[in-house]
Amino acid sequence: MSTNRSSDAGAPGSTIQDPRQRRTILVGVCIALMAVIASVSGLNVAQPELTIAFDASIR
């Protein structure tokens, strides 16, 4: 039984060797993270006004 790494190209944990594909994945992850950070920041900015508008309290 031999282990051929080229046949395991789609297996979980395999390393991506193409620099362009790695860069594309990195850019995609960065854009997704920026979207999450922007939405959390927007919620933190709007939170005081939402509290007043909905007459919300901690209790």
Side-chain angles (χ1 to χ4, degrees), residues 17-43:
Q17 298 297 330
D18 184 18
R20 291 175 294 172
Q21 188 177 10
R22 294 178 88 175
R23 192 174 308 118
T24 303
I25 292 170
L26 178 64
V27 168
V29 170
C30 288
I31 290 172
L33 183 59
M34 286 190 312
V36 169
I37 291 171
S39 64
V40 169
S41 297
L43 180 60

